[in-house]
């Protein structure tokens, strides 16, 4: 399983790299004869972005197996300086559904993770059409395991709040003078771990205590839309 995951990750990163290189080459060829002063038609200052993606568990084998990522939503405001340093603030929401075919006991429900973050990054347009946005999100999430078992035993969801960090990369393609679309990849390191007791069940499912002690980590692949409501 580990070999397959590593192979998939390598293929994904290769795919992302190829997209970035091809977009950059295409844009540079298109703008070859243009004056350097008008090289980019978007110079970000104030912008609003909303990202929609699919989270995929990568660490803690029990979490990776028993929880199935369904949706990731992340809206945020970003302020970019003339030197391309960027600072943002926003919110995240992630939802993982319990995989009924992988849990050792019958249980239904899911894992809700919602919170806020600040972002530090580097946003730059390399041509009139193509740009990149590298960032690091640092925030705090409310993590709730809302299952039927927890509702019966606890009277509500099991809560395990935690800080998180998330490096991200966005490959940006402009669609107009004030708008752009992007392909986004992020990797979340969360301060909480995962145990079957979080779901309200007693069986360990054959996983060891050392495996349960690993922090929750997941990768997100998605797309975003940005509106630049003020530029330099």
């Amino acid at each position: 399983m580990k070999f397959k995951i590593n192979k998939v990750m390598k293929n994904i990163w290769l795919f992302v790299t190829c997209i970035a290189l091809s977009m950059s080459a295409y844009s540079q060829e298109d703008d070859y004869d243009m004056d350097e002063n008008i090289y980019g038609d978007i110079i970000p200052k104030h912008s609003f972005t909303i990202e929609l993606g699919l989270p995929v568990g990568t660490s803690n084998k029990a979490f990776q197996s028993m929880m199935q990522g369904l949706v990731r939503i992340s809206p945020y405001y970003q302020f970019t300086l003339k030197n391309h340093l960027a600072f943002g603030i926003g919110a995240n929401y992630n939802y993982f559904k319990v995989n009924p075919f992988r849990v050792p006991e019958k249980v239904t429900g899911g894992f809700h993770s919602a919170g806020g973050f600040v972002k530090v990054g580097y946003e730059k347009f390399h041509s009139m059409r193509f740009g990149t946005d590298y960032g690091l999100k640092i925030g705090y999430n409310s993590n709730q395991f809302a299952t039927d078992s927890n509702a019966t035993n606890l009277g509500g969801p099991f809560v395990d709040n935690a800080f998180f960090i998330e490096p991200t990369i966005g490959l940006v393609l402009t669609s107009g003078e004030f708008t752009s679309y992007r392909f986004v990849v992020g990797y979340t390191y969360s301060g909480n771990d995962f145990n079957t007791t979080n779901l309200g069940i007693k069986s360990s499912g054959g996983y060891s205590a050392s495996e349960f002690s690993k922090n929750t980590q997941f990768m997100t692949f998605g797309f975003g839309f940005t509106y630049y409501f003020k530029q330099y």
Side-chain angles (χ1 to χ4, degrees):
M1 176 66 73
K2 185 175 182 181
F3 171 76
K4 290 182 179 180
I5 292 173
N6 290 336
K7 186 175 180 181
V8 170
M9 297 305 298
K10 288 179 180 178
N11 290 336
I12 289 171
W13 282 115
L14 179 61
F15 174 69
V16 171
T17 302
C18 290
I19 290 178
L21 291 175
S22 61
M23 282 182 168
S24 180
Y26 174 76
S27 299
Q28 288 176 12
E29 182 181 349
D30 233 24
D31 302 321
Y32 182 78
D33 295 325
M34 291 189 175
D35 185 88
E36 187 175 351
N37 292 328
I38 57 171
Y39 190 64
D41 62 344
I42 289 184
I43 307 176
K45 185 175 183 180
H46 298 287
S47 63
F48 178 80
T49 299
I50 184 166
E51 297 171 353
L52 180 65
L54 179 70
V56 180
T58 58
S59 182
N60 189 321
K61 291 182 180 179
F63 181 82
Q64 187 178 343
S65 174
M66 299 180 192
M67 308 303 296
Q68 182 179 7
L70 291 185
V71 68
R72 164 66 174 287
I73 302 173
S74 181
Y76 62 90
Y77 158 80
Q78 184 160 292
F79 174 73
T80 304
L81 300 174
K82 287 185 178 181
N83 62 3
H84 309 299
L85 286 177
F87 304 90
I89 185 170
N92 279 336
Y93 172 74
N94 308 284
Y95 179 66
F96 290 77
K97 180 183 178 182
V98 173
N99 188 336
F101 303 105
R102 296 294 181 89
V103 288
E105 299 177 25
K106 186 178 180 180
V107 62
T108 59
F111 168 53
H112 301 267
S113 179
F117 65 85
V118 293
K119 177 186 174 185
V120 179
Y122 186 85
E123 181 182 23
K124 181 179 180 180
F125 277 86
H126 307 282
S127 73
M128 293 181 67
R129 290 184 175 83
F130 177 68
T132 52
D133 186 355
Y134 302 94
L136 179 66
K137 296 178 180 178
I138 303 173
Y140 188 79
N141 275 339
S142 172
N143 301 311
Q144 300 189 13
F145 294 85
T147 66
D148 54 352
S149 295
N150 282 334
T152 300
N153 300 330
L154 304 178
F158 175 82
V159 180
D160 187 13
N161 301 335
F163 287 96
F164 73 91
I165 60 173
E166 179 186 350
T168 65
I169 178 173
L171 305 179
V172 186
L173 190 64
T174 60
S175 59
E177 185 180 358
F178 299 101
T179 58
S180 70
Y181 295 95
R182 65 182 59 200
F183 173 68
V184 185
V185 179
Y187 196 97
T188 302
Y189 299 83
S190 182
N192 66 302
D193 54 20
F194 173 79
N195 197 305
T196 51
T197 56
N198 295 2
L199 302 177
I201 57 180
K202 297 179 180 179
S203 174
S204 66
Y207 293 97
S208 65
S210 61
E211 185 59 46
F212 285 131
S213 66
K214 295 181 180 179
N215 285 11
T216 301
Q217 300 175 29
F218 55 90
M219 189 167 242
T220 303
F221 305 94
F223 295 91
F225 172 80
T226 300
Y227 181 77
Y228 305 92
F229 51 91
K230 190 170 184 181
Q231 303 180 40
Y232 287 105

